[in-house]
Every structure is written in structure tokens, then in C-alpha cells.
Amino acid sequence: MERRSISGHSPYEPIMGYCRAVVAGEHVYVAGTAPIPVDGSAPPDDAYEQMRRWIAIVGEALGRVGSSLEDVVRTRVFVTDPVHFEGVARAHGEVFRDVRPVNTTVVTSLMDPAWKVEIEVDAMLP
């Protein structure tokens, strides 16, 4: 089975020894992705805007392996406070309303207090 690793821009990748995405056969696994801007600046304050940032990061990673957000079959969403759910759900719905992947959403703390949301996805190659 073919296995390809795709690096991203997270400063944690080399420290922890992981990559943004792995393609294994027809499956694409995208690591937990926080709303870290490419230039390393602070993420947006709003949970909805953080989700929009996440969509850009993950969409780009999926595109690099020949997949897309339309090929996502599972999302795992980690939010730091239930108050952020409305914005997160709205952005998630804007992208996945017709795709309808399975989803798990959990309230938890994250590594950076500026992050309100982190998400990981599983997708398929078309």
C-alpha cells in the first residue's frame, strides 16, 4: 500500500514528529489542525473566523494530495467552550452541509489559549 506524508506549516510538526496529512492507499488522514496563520501571527479571535482559517489550511492540504473538502468522510471537532459551538457549527455547515461527513464534537482545552477550535479529518481520494 502506498503511503505519502504531506508537511504543513505548523511549528509543532518538527518538534513532535508528525505531518499535516498522510495518504495511505485511498485514505487521507489530516492531523488535528489549529487556526495557525502561515505567517505565525495570532489566529483570529472569533471561533467562526478560526474555522474559516482551518478550512483554508485543510482544503489546501487535501488539494496537495488530490483530494478535497468534498471527499471528507469524518470530522473531529475540539472546541474550548460550548459558547463557540454556534460559530464553529455555522462554518462547518457552510462547507459540509451537502457532504455530510460523520462528526464528533468535544469540549476540551487546547495547547494554545488563543485557539478556540482544532479539527482533524479523514477523507478519501476521489
Side-chain angles (χ1 to χ4, degrees):
M1 171 174 35
E2 176 192 7
R3 182 178 194 270
R4 291 185 288 156
S5 297
I6 306 300
S7 293
H9 69 271
S10 171
Y12 299 107
E13 287 184 32
I15 295 167
M16 291 187 68
Y18 76 96
C19 61
R20 176 61 42 223
V22 170
V23 177
E26 296 179 349
H27 300 270
V28 182
Y29 304 97
V30 181
T33 303
I36 302 171
V38 175
D39 64 5
S41 62
D45 286 333
D46 179 68
Y48 173 81
E49 292 302 325
Q50 287 195 10
M51 276 293 291
R52 298 298 303 166
R53 179 75 207 116
W54 171 86
I55 291 163
I57 295 168
V58 171
E60 187 271 335
L62 289 170
R64 287 176 56 200
V65 302
S67 189
S68 72
L69 292 166
E70 290 80 25
D71 299 310
V72 170
V73 296
R74 175 185 300 271
T75 63
R76 293 175 191 90
V77 179
F78 305 94
V79 295
T80 58
D81 190 307
V83 73
H84 304 311
F85 179 76
E86 184 179 337
V88 168
R90 181 166 49 107
H92 190 281
E94 289 171 2
V95 174
F96 296 117
R97 185 168 287 113
D98 296 330
V99 177
R100 307 281 301 225
V102 296
N103 168 262
T104 300
T105 301
V106 176
V107 177
T108 189
S109 59
L110 297 173
M111 293 301 297
D112 185 323
W115 302 345
K116 293 176 174 57
V117 61
E118 182 172 340
I119 301 144
E120 63 181 51
V121 301
D122 300 338
M124 301 295 291
L125 292 176

